[in-house]
Amino acid sequence: LQPVKPRAPDMHTNQQDITRRRVLKAALGLGGMVLGVPGLTAERANQRFTPPMTRGPFYPQIKPLDQDADLTVLSGARQHAQGQVVHLTGRILDLDGKPVPGARVAIWQADAHGHYHHPGDRQPTAVDGNFQGFGVQTTDAQGRYRFKTIKPGAYPLMTGLRTPHIHFEIEGQNDLVVTQMFFPGEALNADDGLLQALQPAQRELVMARRMPIAADMDPRATHLAWDIILMSG
């Protein structure tokens, strides 16, 4: 295989997407077997890996000084962020289902009003100044991550509304992937162009699942779990 060089100026391209295309091409020369993984054909490859999705136009240009895993409160602020609190947990796994420890997981999203902390977001909606908007953490030895945030609001596009979603960037030991997580049971999911552009099996891979509230969580909050599968970890 000839190496594929990503286009540096294109912030929507990521290493996972490039690697995946190389693997799918390799599958054709291996009789349908992807890099010798039994049962993993080119047809099924996109049903196994968390699909990459656009970084979007609102990746923070200036990140907040407070970048911890709790986006609902800023350091020194007197009030918490507005909106429905969401405890978000999950794991970063490789193709074999093994945990990826030490992976850097970053998230960014709109506030409860559907507004990003970004100069390019010129919506006439109020900005929640108590919402952190961006957070980073590193997975533990079992590949686990955990964030406390709020459910983002939908926001208008030229063709309708974008359904609530959270942007993720995962940097593992070998892979880098940018993707998005979606909320189960959301009515706007059916009309979201980016979500519906995925194959049905891929849509399942970017959909979080509802979980019971744990003892150490706010009983009024929502608990969502989402596992992210990298190609190599």
Side-chain angles (χ1 to χ4, degrees):
L1 287 175
Q2 294 296 322
V4 178
K5 184 178 180 181
R7 296 174 295 171
D10 187 356
M11 297 302 292
H12 298 283
T13 302
N14 58 72
Q15 294 175 6
Q16 175 100 352
D17 190 24
I18 294 166
T19 305
R20 181 174 302 158
R21 289 199 301 267
R22 294 177 63 187
V23 168
L24 293 178
K25 290 179 180 178
L28 299 178
L30 291 171
M33 183 179 293
V34 179
L35 293 185
V37 179
L40 186 61
T41 63
E43 183 179 355
R44 295 188 58 213
N46 281 335
Q47 301 176 15
R48 292 287 301 273
F49 309 113
T50 301
M53 300 189 71
T54 175
R55 185 187 296 268
F58 300 129
Y59 181 81
Q61 293 182 353
I62 301 176
K63 298 180 178 64
L65 296 177
D66 191 353
Q67 299 183 15
D68 63 9
D70 187 351
L71 282 67
T72 66
V73 60
L74 288 169
S75 178
R78 296 183 178 181
Q79 297 182 343
H80 288 205
Q82 303 171 31
Q84 174 65 39
V85 173
V86 175
H87 291 277
L88 180 57
T89 63
R91 299 171 296 165
I92 309 298
L93 307 170
D94 66 12
L95 177 63
D96 298 320
K98 297 178 181 178
V100 181
R104 178 184 181 273
V105 183
I107 67 171
W108 65 99
Q109 62 170 93
D111 62 22
H113 307 293
H115 203 296
Y116 285 86
H117 291 189
H118 190 283
D121 189 344
R122 298 185 176 90
Q123 296 181 72
T125 54
V127 179
D128 186 355
N130 295 308
F131 180 55
Q132 187 172 302
F134 178 89
V136 180
Q137 67 168 229
T138 302
T139 57
D140 64 13
Q142 284 75 47
R144 297 176 296 192
Y145 70 87
R146 179 170 179 171
F147 290 96
K148 183 179 180 182
T149 185
I150 56 93
K151 182 180 179 180
Y155 57 86
L157 298 173
M158 293 182 63
T159 56
L161 292 174
R162 270 235 72 192
T163 194
H165 61 282
I166 297 178
H167 295 266
F168 273 73
E169 181 180 76
I170 306 96
E171 185 174 359
Q173 299 171 5
N174 302 298
D175 296 340
L176 173 66
V177 64
V178 175
T179 188
Q180 298 177 25
M181 185 210 82
F182 295 84
F183 289 70
E186 192 66 32
L188 289 172
N189 286 346
D191 297 318
D192 189 86
L194 288 177
L195 178 59
Q196 294 303 317
L198 299 175
Q199 296 297 320
Q202 292 178 313
R203 291 199 291 269
E204 293 181 9
L205 293 174
V206 297
M207 195 67 60
R209 60 188 187 279
R210 296 186 182 277
M211 301 292 289
I213 290 291
D216 60 345
M217 296 178 179
D218 183 346
R220 299 165 297 180
T222 298
H223 180 194
L224 295 179
W226 189 46
D227 295 341
I228 300 166
I229 303 174
L230 305 179
M231 182 174 294
S232 303

